[in-house]
Amino acid sequence: MKRSFFSAALAAILLSGLLSGCGTIASAAISPGEVDEFHTGTIDGDTYENTFFGIGCKLDDDWTILDEEELAERSGLVFDTLEEGGMDDSARTAMENGSVVFDFFAQKLDNSAAVNVTVGNIGVLYGTSLTEEAYIDLAYDEVIQSVEAIGYDNVTAEKTTVTFAGTDHAAMNVYGEYSGVPVYQVQIALRKGLYVGTVTLSSGGEDITDDLAALFYALD
């Protein structure tokens, strides 16, 4: 079951063209009983905000951003758009069944970079027992194997800690070459309650993942 969950997380954030890649979802320890109900983020024009994880991202006209219906389609969700809570309920049900869902996806118009946020529920597997670092450790080998399996050469990965939207999180730096083009990716683990999110920053040709991370901010 653990492998199927990781595989779902990896498959969920595969990107097209030069930005194909993979990602993991990690977790951090929380106190018993600290369980909040996940709510999907909102997209207003060029701005994404997720009050559940307390992060936001503002982009300019160089980016294309998927709307709610496109995110639902990419995640395989079906819900009534006129029903209050439809997207949230559908996402939570999918995650309870082991799926990973997209909460945000944006790609530069020139296909040189992409950012996305995926979310999963690990409570059925791990409850609240794993740290972000431990979950990154579990995913490490499979990340490398999965990137190689989709056609990357010279793949390397490094476990690290990054400051993202003002808070330190466990992360993984992944490098690979696709059709001779270098691709850089940072996967940042977030955790709240039984839900875990991965912010994935990808760039092709040159490493601008630090610039991509700077597009995100903490919500008050």
Side-chain angles (χ1 to χ4, degrees):
M1 189 172 183
K2 178 173 67 178
R3 169 163 288 273
S4 65
F5 181 84
F6 281 136
S7 297
L10 294 166
I13 65 166
L14 289 180
L15 307 179
S16 61
L18 297 179
L19 296 174
S20 297
C22 65
T24 60
I25 287 185
S27 63
I30 62 172
S31 301
E34 183 187 337
V35 178
D36 293 321
E37 188 173 56
F38 175 75
H39 295 280
T40 56
T42 61
I43 298 171
D44 183 7
D46 58 3
T47 301
Y48 159 78
E49 292 190 344
N50 184 302
T51 57
F52 183 82
F53 287 116
I55 61 171
C57 178
K58 184 175 178 60
L59 302 174
D60 57 27
D61 292 339
D62 292 333
W63 293 80
T64 179
I65 302 173
L66 297 190
D67 61 24
E68 183 181 82
E69 291 185 4
E70 291 169 322
L71 288 170
E73 181 179 359
R74 186 175 286 260
S75 302
L77 303 180
V78 178
F79 64 97
D80 186 347
T81 58
L82 299 179
E83 181 180 349
E84 184 177 355
M87 178 71 165
D88 283 343
D89 292 343
S90 182
R92 286 193 293 264
T93 298
M95 288 187 284
E96 288 170 1
N97 291 329
S99 295
V100 174
V101 302
F102 277 94
D103 200 56
F104 179 56
F105 187 103
Q107 188 160 333
K108 292 204 76 172
L109 296 177
D110 63 1
N111 296 319
S112 64
V115 298
N116 67 65
V117 179
T118 54
V119 185
N121 182 336
I122 64 162
V124 67
L125 293 179
Y126 302 111
T128 62
S129 63
L130 292 183
T131 64
E132 289 181 354
E133 293 79 6
Y135 209 95
I136 289 286
D137 287 341
L138 286 172
Y140 182 81
D141 289 339
E142 187 163 348
V143 167
I144 296 176
Q145 294 168 9
S146 297
V147 173
E148 291 174 338
I150 58 176
Y152 278 78
D153 299 314
N154 302 318
V155 176
T156 61
E158 174 190 22
K159 292 171 283 188
T160 186
T161 299
V162 301
T163 301
F164 176 77
T167 304
D168 290 343
H169 294 280
M172 186 183 303
N173 295 324
V174 182
Y175 171 83
E177 296 170 6
Y178 192 83
S179 298
V181 177
V183 177
Y184 305 86
Q185 189 173 90
V186 180
Q187 300 162 14
I188 303 166
L190 309 179
R191 169 67 185 265
K192 185 174 182 180
L194 300 179
Y195 297 92
V196 292
T198 298
V199 178
T200 302
L201 316 170
S202 304
S203 65
E206 62 176 322
D207 186 1
I208 61 167
T209 51
D210 285 345
D211 295 336
L212 299 178
L215 297 171
F216 287 81
Y217 53 87
L219 300 179
D220 295 332

